[in-house]
Amino acid sequence: MSRYKIAVIEGDGIGHEVVPEGLRVLEAVGRRYQITFDWHHFDWSCQTYLKTGRMIPENGLDQLRGFDAIYLGAVGYPGVPDQVSLWGLLIPIRRAFQQYVNLRPVRLRRGIESPVKGFPPRQIDFCVVRENNEGEYSEVGGRLYRDTDAELAVQETIFTRRGCDRILRYAFDLARTRKSHVTSATKSNGIIHTMPFWDERFSQVAKHFPDVRTDQYHIDILSAHFVQHPDWFDVVVASNLFGDILSDLGAAVVGSIGLAPSANLNPEQQHPSMFEPVHGSAPDIAGKGIANPIAQVWSGAMMLEHLGEPKAARAVEVALDAVLARPDVRTPDLGGRANTREVGEAIAHEIAVAAQL
Ligand code: GGG
């Protein structure tokens, strides 16, 4: 019997539709494995910003500090500039809680056809390990001479030895639990300071993992390889921006952005980690009840794994596969006609049925 205190932030747009399905599935698996969740809902969103001028209250990060984990939907909505919503909610949480790993699995699940022809399930199975606290996502910079012909913008990229080494070590450790292969995303031919530094740190850290095979590609050709040879990869480690872009591309290669989960991890477990789908708030489909909840549900399985509930995490994964094998319960992004709730209910039902076997 275990009990967890989870902060739930639905956020914006389809976050309001997919998070309830994620909770439905977690409740179902909790019943099966005697896990109790104390859900604490926070209505932090662009709506909150429009009402109060802040995405989260002044003491918002302190409010989250005591939780075992944070379960997040999506952030951003028309009417609030994207940089305001991201820097007002998602990025402060990632940084305050030293969630320096953004782990984004890319796996072709059974029942899903890749748009890249000829790849059966299991042949595409890798993880993007995205640096999540520094890099190109930096507040350092500014604007000068606004509204004149001389207007300019400067954006500094921050790569620290500590920041690079800890994400690289995480990638190598993860590879040791998988197929012992790490690919580094770089662009050291064009980005003259930070990327050669990243390459140097990659080769230094790699020396401590002589059993792990390494590759490194410039981001441009690496993107092409993601499409043409997605079976080449095991663990792909990348800076903040490169990792963000690669994981959306990876999601498309395995069927839909609606399937892609992520975990913002503080590996030392000194602070809560946060689990969220890779996708955003999708204003174009928000309110229609057709968003795919699978990325949110799979993120819940990653949360269970992180909380030390591997059997429950596995049960969610098995139920996901069972539902994806059924073409009748698919949302429109996968060519089906089911709605968000029907998919969530089907996954929860699979878990309940398996418990009775
Ligand atoms: N699922 C959270 C969300 O809305 N993500 C959308 C997004 O734009 N994220 C930016 C990032 O991960 O850096």
Side-chain angles (χ1 to χ4, degrees), residues 72-76 86 90-91 94 102 104 130 132 137 240 244 276-281:
L72 171 74
V75 187
L86 220 62
L90 192 57
I91 296 177
R94 288 176 177 166
N102 195 330
R104 297 182 156 194
R130 166 189 179 189
N132 212 29
Y137 280 46
N240 208 331
D244 191 33
E276 53 157 335
V278 168
H279 65 69
S281 60

Side-chain angles (χ1 to χ4, degrees), residues 3-303:
R3 186 168 203 126
Y4 300 105
K5 208 174 137 196
I6 310 293
V8 180
I9 309 171
E10 292 183 3
D12 294 301
I14 61 168
H16 297 297
E17 295 158 49
V18 293
V19 168
E21 299 315 315
L23 299 184
R24 185 195 303 283
V25 171
L26 286 164
E27 281 290 328
V29 82
R31 280 191 290 279
R32 180 164 160 195
Y33 290 95
Q34 288 80 51
I35 303 168
T36 305
F37 298 100
D38 295 325
W39 309 116
H40 293 251
H41 290 262
F42 294 88
D43 68 343
W44 300 344
S45 66
C46 288
Q47 279 304 315
T48 311
Y49 177 85
L50 291 172
K51 277 189 245 150
T52 68
R54 297 185 63 99
M55 292 292 291
I56 65 176
E58 215 162 4
N59 68 347
L61 295 172
D62 283 334
Q63 291 188 41
L64 295 178
R65 214 170 282 284
F67 284 90
D68 293 308
I70 303 162
Y71 194 52
L72 171 74
V75 187
Y77 217 68
V80 178
D82 286 341
Q83 75 276 16
V84 170
S85 50
L86 220 62
W87 282 89
L89 196 158
L90 192 57
I91 296 177
I93 295 174
R94 288 176 177 166
R95 292 185 182 204
F97 300 133
Q98 288 291 295
Q99 297 166 352
Y100 62 85
V101 175
N102 195 330
L103 179 62
R104 297 182 156 194
V106 177
R107 191 188 319 151
L108 182 60
R109 301 195 84 108
R110 245 181 306 132
I112 301 294
E113 198 182 331
S114 170
V116 181
K117 299 281 176 261
F119 285 100
R122 298 268 152 225
Q123 255 190 32
I124 307 177
D125 183 1
F126 63 91
C127 287
V128 174
V129 172
R130 166 189 179 189
E131 200 292 316
N132 212 29
N133 277 179
E134 56 178 45
E136 304 87 346
Y137 280 46
S138 137
E139 278 168 295
V140 183
R143 300 265 290 266
L144 280 179
Y145 311 121
R146 280 179 193 255
D147 304 323
T148 72
D149 286 349
E151 187 163 15
L152 67 90
V154 177
Q155 173 82 50
E156 298 289 352
T157 298
I158 310 292
F159 279 48
T160 64
R161 184 186 278 219
R162 174 170 166 267
C164 292
D165 286 12
R166 66 186 181 178
I167 194 69
L168 293 165
R169 272 197 305 271
Y170 182 90
F172 277 93
D173 281 333
L174 177 66
R176 276 187 169 159
T177 68
R178 297 173 49 96
K179 289 179 265 171
S180 291
H181 178 206
V182 178
T183 302
S184 166
T186 185
K187 190 60 191 167
S188 44
N189 57 351
I191 309 293
I192 194 168
H193 298 301
T194 50
M195 281 296 161
F197 177 66
W198 170 269
D199 293 353
E200 271 169 45
R201 298 319 306 160
F202 182 68
S203 50
Q204 284 301 320
V205 171
K207 284 184 186 155
H208 298 279
F209 297 85
D211 51 312
V212 177
R213 185 160 68 88
T214 59
D215 274 318
Q216 107 181 9
Y217 296 102
H218 293 308
I219 188 71
D220 37 357
I221 190 63
L222 180 56
S223 306
H225 290 330
F226 260 43
V227 175
Q228 291 181 310
H229 310 286
D231 55 332
W232 279 3
F233 303 107
D234 177 25
V235 173
V236 179
V237 65
S239 64
N240 208 331
L241 179 63
F242 286 179
D244 191 33
I245 297 168
L246 283 176
S247 45
D248 272 36
L249 179 57
V253 166
V254 293
S256 168
I257 185 80
L259 300 173
S262 85
N264 300 273
L265 299 174
N266 171 242
E268 293 75 22
Q269 306 222 21
Q270 291 161 332
H271 306 284
S273 291
M274 176 166 66
F275 301 83
E276 53 157 335
V278 168
H279 65 69
S281 60
D284 55 331
I285 56 163
K288 296 185 179 164
I290 55 165
N292 192 335
I294 287 182
Q296 187 77 51
V297 170
W298 190 349
S299 302
M302 294 180 83
M303 181 168 81

Side-chain angles (χ1 to χ4, degrees), residues 295-318:
Q296 187 77 51
V297 170
W298 190 349
S299 302
M302 294 180 83
M303 181 168 81
L304 290 167
E305 189 77 48
H306 179 77
L307 291 170
E309 301 287 352
K311 281 190 190 151
R314 181 82 197 118
V316 174
E317 294 260 358
V318 169

